[in-house]
Amino acid sequence: MASAPGTSENPLRVAIIGSGPSGFYAAGHVLNHKAHPGLVAEVDMFDRLPTPWGLVRGGVAPDHPNIKAVSRVYEKTARHPGFRFFGNVEFGRDIFHEDLLARYHAVIYAVGAEADKRMGIPGEDLPGSAAATAFVAWYNGHPDHRHHQFDLSSRRAVVVGNGNVAMDVARMLALTPDELERTDVADHALDALRGSAVEEIVLLGRRGPAQAAFTNPELRELGEMVDADVVVDPRDVVLDEHSSASIEGEGDLTARRNVEILTRYSEARAAGMRRRIVLRFLVSPVSIVGEDRVEALEIVHNQLHPDQSGGLRARATDRRERIETGLVFRSIGYRGIALPGVPFDQQRATIPNREGRVLGPNGQPLRGEYTVGWIKRGPSGVIGTNKKDANETVDRLLEDVATGELLGPADPSPQSIEALLGERRPEHITYVGWAAIDATERSAGEPHGRPRVKLTSFEELLAAARERVPS
Ligand SMILES: Cc1cc2nc3c(=O)[nH]c(=O)nc-3n(C[C@H](O)[C@H](O)[C@H](O)COP(=O)(O)OP(=O)(O)OC[C@H]3O[C@@H](n4cnc5c(N)ncnc54)[C@H](O)[C@@H]3O)c2cc1C
Ligand SMILES: NC(=O)c1ccc[n+]([C@@H]2O[C@H](COP(=O)([O-])OP(=O)(O)OC[C@H]3O[C@@H](n4cnc5c(N)ncnc54)[C@H](OP(=O)(O)O)[C@@H]3O)[C@@H](O)[C@H]2O)c1
């Protein structure tokens, strides 16, 4: 009989679905000898894309190369001899729940939250109205989103939402061609943004400045743009009594700093730059208006009211307003997608779990199934948040190793999944294939002083992976 998993004769075999930050932090912790000496573990990581890093490649804004550099940490994990990457392999299309249960002692779902939340207002689907998720993925060269055509001929763009993604979208619309040309923005987006007629970007927050979800450095960065003024109406930074109380004393420091920065913006005189970023508060869209495409946005002014949880909720007043615009981005959050055969909480759009152990329909943990990252806790938190979150999950997994409460795979050999993929998905790529893509993209960027020129179609990516792989 085989020994308990975790020995050199019978290594602990873990499948991780998704190669974003949460998947990589989970892999790093499973493979960390120092944290659990004596445990022999192997990780196979799968991603539907031929490229790893999740939103670090496909979400983080191109003008934030230092943040993208976190991938170096993941590269270190990928160099571990117990690690393998299988890209271009989709859970639910190429591999299924039962395939993994038959081959691994444990499975960790790390698929993030790829869909978007909707505003649920009339006109939301008119051409010219789009989700920030699509715009972000388009400018970052995600192969599913390269086909979008955003009409940048409108003088004014409106971004609904007050989070850091809304900040990214505003900045991307306001950067100069010179600034963009030094980044790894996808070429199709670079071409379109070069010809953009957008002069004013209006951000709409449904609550006040003290409730904005963006963080201080991102808000400060807006004020440092090369060719864009930031405009805040001084009346918008006058806080109601509840908001004032919430940021005083021991209150929310980020919110207090945000209000200070916004107050400074409201006092500054516009320098007459080519573009303006206008931050508005206490307004919500009620309908998007237009015959064949977006022509205007109707908004309602809100007031804040305390809710039962001790927070402040926006409530509409009778005051309405119309903003002329041809381009509306809703940036009101991402949303998780259910995986076939895996429990899913429709309301929260997450995998139900307790400290990362996936819960079955009876509310009890399912043996050997775990989750990390945005699909575990919902679409919030910065890259670093996923490390603590992944460690928590892996610690539970290791407790289950100790008590023997794992899956009992029929064939946990490393060859078994290779054989399956050979039949089901022969065009999958390995980490060597990704390294070839990486090298191709970097060398294409070098002559232009860019970090890389991204390949943005599955065909191009797979060709690059094949070309440089020694046969
Ligand atoms: C636009 C944007 C910008 C951001 N910028 C920053 C920033 O500047 N700094 C910061 O600290 N944080 C930033 N964040 C937050 C950060 O990106 C997230 O916290 C983090 O990426 C979440 O990690 P994750 O692994 O849960 O999900 P993801 O990063 O989304 O990774 C999920 C992975 O799963 C794969 N996948 C999905 N479905 C399947 C399937 N069925 N089969 C196989 N693979 C699948 C996806 O292809 C993807 O690679 C940003 C987020 C967004 C949306
Ligand atoms: N540079 C960075 O570090 C960076 C960059 C990008 C993203 N991220 C992180 O990634 C995560 C996701 O960011 P995000 O911006 O998508 O989400 P987010 O931080 O949750 O912000 C969502 C925003 O949308 C608003 N909203 C929600 N529903 C709305 C509706 N129906 N109508 C109008 N407004 C609505 C929210 O307002 P309410 O508060 O009123 O609900 C909030 O302002 C965050 O944790 C973020 O910090 C980090």
Side-chain angles (χ1 to χ4, degrees), residues 161-165 168 206-207 213 218 331-333 374 379-382:
N162 255 346
N164 280 331
V165 173
D168 281 355
R206 66 176 167 182
R207 298 193 290 158
E218 282 65 31
S331 180
I332 61 171
W374 278 18
S380 76
V382 293

Side-chain angles (χ1 to χ4, degrees), residues 152-193:
L152 301 172
S153 64
S154 171
R155 288 270 169 92
R156 179 183 289 127
V158 177
V159 185
V160 180
N162 255 346
N164 280 331
V165 173
M167 287 276 149
D168 281 355
V169 169
R171 256 193 356 272
M172 285 302 291
L173 288 167
L175 286 168
T176 64
D178 257 14
E179 290 173 289
L180 284 169
E181 278 159 13
R182 294 195 292 269
T183 72
D184 69 357
V185 64
D187 275 352
H188 53 244
L190 181 58
D191 286 346
L193 289 164

